[in-house]
Amino acid sequence: PKPWMSRISQDGRHIDLGTYKLEADAAYARDEAARLLRMTGEMNFAAIREHEDSKLRELERTGFGTDDAMSSAAIASKVAKILLKESQRSVDRTRPRGNCEAAETAPREPKDSPPSGKAPLEESNVHQKRPKFTGVAYKKCSRTYSSQIRHGGKQHHLGCYKLQSDA
């Protein structure tokens, strides 16, 4: 069993750094995360040597074998992977949801000009707040209509279209 959990808080969010058999390893994981995130404040260990000494004392006290302890390098690697994954999640949370990327890159005509030489349409006809078709939603981020369907308990995205009738 791994009874010690390590966690750090940044910008009001908790980041779980994993579980460890030794308290000293969990404390070192928190210190390593603070160093990687460039956080200032109190550290558990000023140097790796302090962590190693504390770990040896804990091993003697608990009766665990040395194979139950993680090396400082292994802890640093584990924490770096966790923080990298967390930073990728943070980036994903800031992106618009859905399949907007392809539609975002398509050139847009100016809002006031008529589309493709056609007569100007009234704004209410172009973007209705409630689409008249089931499974269609208007995406402000890309100015397109997204169509989706639920099948077998799963939501499937079918695409983004400029016209509601196409979706």
Side-chain angles (χ1 to χ4, degrees):
K2 295 185 176 187
W4 297 101
M5 187 169 126
S6 186
R7 175 186 282 178
I8 193 165
S9 296
Q10 182 189 32
D11 300 328
R13 289 179 310 136
H14 295 293
I15 303 171
D16 289 326
L17 302 172
T19 56
Y20 302 86
K21 285 189 179 180
L22 299 178
E23 181 180 12
D25 288 349
Y28 184 76
R30 190 257 174 225
D31 286 358
E32 187 61 26
R35 274 191 275 282
L36 290 171
L37 295 171
R38 296 189 173 132
M39 297 173 73
T40 57
E42 193 173 319
M43 297 285 189
N44 295 299
F45 307 108
I48 293 176
R49 187 73 226 151
E50 287 182 31
H51 167 244
E52 295 297 330
D53 292 342
S54 177
K55 183 172 22 179
L56 289 174
R57 285 191 302 276
E58 188 176 353
L59 286 171
E60 288 173 7
R61 189 181 73 242
T62 60
F64 286 135
T66 54
D67 57 330
D68 291 320
M70 291 179 70
S71 70
S72 300
I75 294 170
S77 176
K78 179 178 179 176
V79 168
K81 287 177 186 174
I82 290 169
L83 293 178
L84 178 63
K85 190 181 278 187
E86 183 64 29
S87 70
Q88 289 169 341
R89 272 193 214 129
S90 296
V91 169
D92 290 343
R93 283 185 207 121
T94 61
R95 288 187 184 152
R97 293 184 128 192
N99 192 7
C100 289
E101 287 83 13
E104 290 276 28
T105 58
R108 292 185 184 150
E109 297 180 21
K111 199 173 187 179
D112 297 335
S113 72
S116 308
K118 296 178 185 173
L121 298 172
E122 291 181 28
E123 190 66 30
S124 62
N125 290 340
V126 176
H127 307 298
Q128 296 176 357
K129 289 189 179 184
R130 288 189 179 191
K132 56 185 173 182
F133 301 105
T134 303
V136 175
Y138 181 69
K139 293 183 168 276
K140 278 185 172 180
C141 66
S142 61
R143 292 181 174 167
T144 59
Y145 290 92
S146 168
S147 64
Q148 57 271 336
I149 191 167
R150 182 173 293 277
H151 177 70
K154 291 186 178 181
Q155 189 83 9
H156 299 278
H157 177 74
L158 301 175
C160 291
Y161 305 90
K162 286 190 175 194
L163 298 175
Q164 189 176 166
S165 58
D166 292 343

